[in-house]
Amino acid sequence: MRVLVLFAHPVETSFQAALHSRVVETLTSGGHEVDDCDLYAEGFDPRLTRAERLAYHDLAADRSPVQEYIDRLQAAQALVLVFPVWNFGYPAILKGFFDRVFLPGVAFRMENGKVRPSLGNLKRTAAVVTYGGSRMRAFLLGDAPRKQVTRVLRAQTLGAPQDYLALYDLNRASADKRAAFLQHIQAVMESFK
């Protein structure tokens, strides 16, 4: 299976980087073709320009600034997001990726004023996420990243099977808890088919 891994963390020594490495290594050793997209390492610009916003619904508009990423998304059969939740939201670089790449005609299309999914090429999705705060705190604040992944992404992929793998309260997580989460991530990635 061709798997696009989107990684959004700027520090190569972070626990999130260890999760990213485990995801890529496990998928690769499982025989999958992995397109490892490290948004920071690739220098992805998350800023939606004025011209891009004005042409957002124009399917014939020049998409050359992000065409490479559109092609990678459309070539994938699975998508794995690896990111931390900061301030109870996506890192800006990942939010910018969604704003600039998950466009009309790419992630969805409009038919008679209704949104229809366009990412039927994705047969499975997963998110590997860490939160600094507790699950209860995230819940009380709406847990927007979880909802966006489990609802919006699911709708865009025609309901493809999905895993939302979250480690809450990372700031106080013991070494044993972190190791157990790494093992859990590995087990889920080994189940990708």
Side-chain angles (χ1 to χ4, degrees):
M1 181 183 301
R2 285 185 310 277
V3 184
L4 175 60
V5 176
L6 284 179
F7 176 55
H9 197 290
V11 181
E12 69 282 352
T13 57
S14 66
F15 182 64
Q16 200 71 45
L19 292 168
H20 169 243
S21 292
R22 182 69 57 96
V23 165
V24 171
E25 290 165 8
T26 305
L27 290 170
T28 301
S29 67
H32 299 286
E33 178 186 332
V34 177
D35 179 358
D36 186 12
C37 181
D38 180 337
L39 295 172
Y40 281 96
E42 292 187 16
F44 180 79
D45 185 352
R47 295 171 299 167
L48 183 68
T49 67
R50 180 179 187 278
E52 287 171 327
R53 182 60 201 150
L54 289 172
Y56 186 78
H57 290 284
D58 180 0
L59 300 183
D62 176 19
R63 295 190 173 168
S64 59
V66 293
Q67 189 63 54
E68 170 195 348
Y69 294 100
I70 291 170
D71 294 343
R72 291 165 78 177
L73 178 63
Q74 291 177 329
Q77 296 169 302
L79 174 67
V80 179
L81 307 171
V82 184
F83 65 94
V85 172
W86 288 335
N87 297 305
F88 298 96
Y90 291 125
I93 201 165
L94 183 58
K95 173 67 167 83
F97 185 90
F98 290 135
D99 290 345
R100 295 187 70 210
V101 177
F102 278 56
L103 298 166
V106 176
F108 63 93
R109 63 187 184 283
M110 299 297 292
E111 290 180 4
N112 300 320
K114 294 184 180 180
V115 176
R116 300 287 183 227
S118 289
L119 289 175
N121 56 299
L122 297 177
K123 305 303 180 203
R124 184 155 181 192
T125 64
V128 177
V129 186
T130 58
Y131 291 73
S134 69
R135 172 73 178 110
M136 179 55 74
R137 183 176 295 156
F139 173 77
L140 292 172
L141 293 171
D143 205 348
R146 178 183 285 272
K147 288 179 181 174
Q148 290 168 339
V149 169
T150 61
R151 295 177 184 177
V152 176
L153 188 56
R154 181 179 298 267
Q156 292 170 333
T157 62
L158 302 169
Q162 183 179 75
D163 296 288
Y164 191 85
L165 310 163
L167 177 61
Y168 291 90
D169 220 1
L170 176 64
N171 296 338
R172 295 185 291 187
S174 67
D176 288 344
K177 187 171 183 179
R178 290 175 187 224
F181 189 65
L182 278 164
Q183 286 300 104
H184 179 58
I185 297 308
Q186 182 171 334
V188 173
M189 294 301 116
E190 287 172 347
S191 75
F192 258 53
K193 292 183 173 57

